[in-house]
Amino acid sequence: MFGICNLSITPIRAEASDKSEMTSQMLFGEHFTILEKGKYWSKVRISFDEYEGYVDNKQFEEISEEIFHRLSTKEPIYSGEVIDFITSSTNDLITIPLGSRLPNFINNEFIMNSKRYAYDGAVFSGILPKNEIIKNAFTYLNTPFLWGGKTPFGIDCSGFTQMAYKLCGYKLLRDSKQQAKQGEVLSFIEESEPGDLAFFDNEEGEIIHVGIILNDYHIIHAHGKVRIDTLDHSGIFNADLQKHTHKLRVIKKMI
């Protein structure tokens, strides 16, 4: 079985309960495989990054295998406005956040299942230059930190890096420790370019944080909010706190 997110933002939870931890989110138009279908909750695997979790059955639509495979092979088109809305052929009005997918979008319209929608905002499509990753990152500046979040209204560190890359046509996995397994290792900060990723670990050596490298030894990352701090060989130096907040583990070129 397969499904698609038909709401603006749907939480993905660690267990089949509204009280369970939100580990990620699905945005409008994201499709997935239904691994287990329960009475009230389903365990799903997101097509984009193969992330797994539980979704309330009232918060998605089932789709056919044919539609699922068509979406998996077709170049995606994403909404490019921080917040906008779509209208359906039955006059439903749905708000959608930045990075929502518009299935089969053409001439300001798209069809999801059998329902037709209209959207006249900006879009992202195709593979964009690396400098566009930085532009996307700045769109999220001052977004509050939200564990599991992926939108300009709440986002976590790896959701932030994933979305900045996603809008440019690149795939990052969902969690920072997963993203740290992608890309090419750089030996020094001096070798990095704006748009590369820096990863940070805890005392046990586990990757727990990630951010996007900027010019002049700066980094943009989600910590309390999406913010810009100084990056040096020790890690991230927070000028507000006047101390290092994250210990640098590795720098990677992802594209």
Side-chain angles (χ1 to χ4, degrees):
M1 293 185 292
F2 306 94
I4 194 166
C5 180
N6 63 329
L7 301 176
S8 57
I9 309 164
T10 293
I12 299 175
R13 301 196 179 274
E15 302 294 340
S17 168
D18 286 317
K19 297 180 180 180
S20 179
E21 171 190 17
M22 184 179 77
T23 56
S24 191
Q25 294 173 327
M26 281 192 297
L27 307 187
F28 181 90
E30 288 199 71
H31 63 295
F32 52 88
T33 301
I34 300 173
L35 302 175
E36 302 171 13
K37 182 70 179 288
K39 184 176 181 180
Y40 301 109
W41 293 81
S42 292
K43 186 176 183 181
V44 305
R45 179 188 296 129
I46 309 303
S47 179
F48 180 80
D49 56 14
E50 298 190 347
Y51 197 82
E52 295 183 7
Y54 289 87
V55 179
D56 188 322
N57 290 341
K58 299 185 295 295
Q59 296 184 334
F60 68 86
E61 288 182 359
E62 289 191 25
I63 57 175
S64 67
E65 184 175 3
E66 178 185 357
I67 292 175
F68 175 86
H69 287 299
R70 190 187 309 147
L71 290 172
S72 298
T73 55
K74 194 175 181 65
E75 182 178 277
I77 296 176
Y78 302 113
S79 63
E81 307 288 353
V82 169
I83 187 71
D84 210 327
F85 62 87
I86 56 175
T87 53
S88 75
S89 52
T90 55
N91 293 320
D92 292 331
L93 184 68
I94 301 175
T95 55
I96 57 172
L98 179 64
S100 298
R101 183 165 180 180
L102 311 173
N104 310 304
F105 185 75
I106 186 170
N107 296 328
N108 295 329
E109 290 187 338
F110 65 95
I111 296 175
M112 195 167 79
N113 265 347
S114 58
K115 189 175 288 187
R116 185 178 297 275
Y117 294 88
Y119 171 78
D120 60 4
V123 298
F124 287 96
S125 64
I127 304 296
L128 301 180
K130 193 173 183 178
N131 66 298
E132 293 294 323
I133 294 171
I134 302 300
K135 292 181 181 179
N136 293 336
F138 273 84
T139 302
Y140 293 90
L141 194 62
N142 292 315
T143 294
F145 182 90
L146 175 65
W147 183 264
K150 288 171 51 177
T151 79
F153 305 99
I155 203 162
D156 63 22
C157 67
S158 54
F160 168 62
T161 53
Q162 186 188 62
M163 291 303 299
Y165 270 72
K166 181 179 181 179
L167 294 174
C168 289
Y170 303 102
K171 283 192 176 186
L172 294 184
L173 297 175
R174 180 60 181 90
D175 294 334
S176 57
K177 61 183 178 181
Q178 296 173 322
Q179 293 176 8
K181 297 177 181 178
Q182 300 177 256
E184 173 190 347
V185 175
L186 300 178
S187 300
F188 305 101
I189 295 176
E190 291 79 7
E191 295 179 353
S192 68
E193 299 175 347
D196 292 339
L197 299 186
F199 294 90
F200 307 85
D201 61 10
N202 58 17
E203 294 179 354
E204 289 73 42
E206 181 183 5
I207 299 292
I208 57 169
H209 192 66
V210 60
I212 301 174
I213 293 175
L214 304 176
N215 278 317
D216 301 322
Y217 296 94
H218 284 81
I219 186 169
I220 184 169
H221 64 126
H223 180 60
K225 63 179 181 178
V226 176
R227 56 180 293 129
I228 297 172
D229 285 310
T230 303
L231 178 67
D232 59 32
H233 293 286
S234 295
I236 295 175
F237 184 80
N238 184 309
D240 296 334
L241 301 176
Q242 284 295 299
K243 68 176 184 178
H244 283 87
T245 56
H246 297 83
K247 180 167 66 75
L248 181 62
R249 170 69 174 273
V250 67
I251 295 171
K252 286 206 156 184
K253 182 181 294 295
M254 311 306 284
I255 57 175

